[in-house]
């Protein structure tokens, strides 16, 4: 039978890590990588697994690639500390790795803001409706970026899984604002280092095109005020990143 590793990379997740780890007993091993943690994240992780690794990484892509290398399973399931498995998805994953002829599969996501399920409007680098979380070890490589690293695949993509993971993405609107600030700061550093900052006009255009994509094409309007905020922040993200990259030194 193929061996399955459940993988979490975490930075100061003492408030959310335990509830995530409690849903991962279906895996053959749990691997937790603690990145620059200064709270009780490591201590909590060691209550659930002896495969806990501590370090400090400058880039998200570098951290995630290192984390995958620590997994001993034939298959890896990546999950974040603010996400929870469901029993239905766990059973589907076990069945998939035993029967599939493909190398990786995407997983659908149910995103929550507080206790409100928000299914429409996500995307454009501000949220995820699905992600490539289940894969054979060795077929997935993250790119060298701080935020939303690119992906390189060496295997065949299979059909999307039917089960959904629960993603508690933000506690409230203030959390959404803080995330926009954090995301745009990290993106600005990538832009400065790449030397490809872009132009004000292009990023201003993207504000409107991304808003339309999230609010209209992805039906964010069905979510009321939350859908409007998701679309607004998705549109603001590239423009704010550009302004930080050009107006700030670091």
């Amino acid at each position: 039978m193929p061996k399955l590793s459940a993988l979490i990379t975490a930075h100061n997740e003492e408030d959310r890590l335990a509830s995530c780890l409690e849903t991962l007993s279906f895996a053959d091993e749990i691997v937790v990588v603690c990145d620059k943690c200064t709270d009780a994240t490591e201590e909590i992780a060691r209550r659930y697994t002896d495969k806990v690794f501590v370090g400090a990484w400058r880039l998200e892509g570098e951290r995630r690639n290192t984390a995958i290398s620590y997994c001993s399973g034939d298959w890896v399931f990546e999950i974040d500390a603010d996400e929870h498995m469901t029993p239905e998805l766990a059973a589907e994953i076990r069945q998939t790795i035993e029967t599939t002829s493909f190398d990786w599969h995407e997983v659908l996501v149910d995103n929550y803001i507080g206790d409100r399920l928000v299914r429409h409007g996500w995307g454009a680098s501000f949220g995820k409706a699905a992600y490539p979380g289940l894969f054979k070890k060795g077929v997935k490589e993250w790119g060298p970026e701080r935020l939303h690293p690119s992906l390189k695949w060496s295997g065949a993509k299979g059909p999307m899984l039917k089960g959904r993971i629960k993603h508690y993405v933000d506690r409230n609107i203030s959390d959404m604002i803080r995330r926009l600030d954090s995301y745009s700061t990290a993106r600005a550093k990538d832009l400065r280092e790449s030397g490809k900052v872009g132009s004000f006009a292009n990023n201003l255009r993207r504000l409107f095109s991304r808003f339309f994509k999230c609010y209209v094409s992805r039906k964010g309007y069905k979510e009321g005020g939350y859908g409007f905020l998701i679309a607004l922040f998705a549109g603001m993200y590239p423009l704010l990143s550009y302004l930080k990259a050009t107006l700030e030194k670091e």
Side-chain angles (χ1 to χ4, degrees), residues 162-173:
K162 297 178 180 178
R164 291 176 175 265
I165 200 168
K166 293 184 177 181
H167 182 203
Y168 296 94
V169 57
D170 291 309
R171 297 177 179 89
N172 48 41
I173 294 172

Side-chain angles (χ1 to χ4, degrees), residues 79-144:
I79 184 171
D80 290 334
D82 58 357
E83 298 171 337
H84 292 176
M85 288 294 298
T86 64
E88 295 78 13
L89 179 56
E92 184 181 9
I93 287 175
R94 296 295 327 191
Q95 182 181 30
T96 297
I97 67 174
E98 293 170 9
T99 60
T100 186
S101 59
F102 296 96
D103 299 294
W104 59 282
H105 297 263
E106 288 185 314
V107 181
L108 289 165
V109 179
D110 270 345
N111 294 290
Y112 288 81
I113 301 175
D115 58 0
R116 163 72 184 273
L117 172 60
V118 180
R119 278 194 169 170
H120 300 93
W122 297 100
S125 302
F126 199 70
K128 58 184 183 182
Y131 76 108
L134 180 65
F135 54 93
K136 287 182 180 177
K137 186 176 178 181
V139 306
K140 180 179 183 179
E141 181 180 355
W142 291 92

Side-chain angles (χ1 to χ4, degrees), residues 155-226:
K157 180 181 179 180
M160 186 177 293
L161 302 186
K162 297 178 180 178
R164 291 176 175 265
I165 200 168
K166 293 184 177 181
H167 182 203
Y168 296 94
V169 57
D170 291 309
R171 297 177 179 89
N172 48 41
I173 294 172
S174 294
D175 259 5
M176 296 176 71
I177 295 171
R178 283 189 287 267
R179 186 157 61 92
L180 174 62
D181 183 43
S182 174
Y183 278 15
S184 57
T185 296
R187 178 59 178 162
K189 292 179 180 178
D190 282 340
L191 290 173
R192 282 194 296 267
E193 289 185 1
S194 71
K196 300 177 181 179
V197 177
S199 67
F200 176 79
N202 183 57
N203 284 290
L204 181 62
R205 177 192 59 78
R206 294 175 71 193
L207 188 156
F208 297 101
S209 64
R210 288 162 70 100
F211 180 92
F212 182 87
K213 184 176 183 179
C214 290
Y215 196 67
V216 179
S217 301
R218 294 182 173 169
K219 303 180 180 180
Y221 60 85
K222 290 188 174 182
E223 304 293 352
Y226 284 122

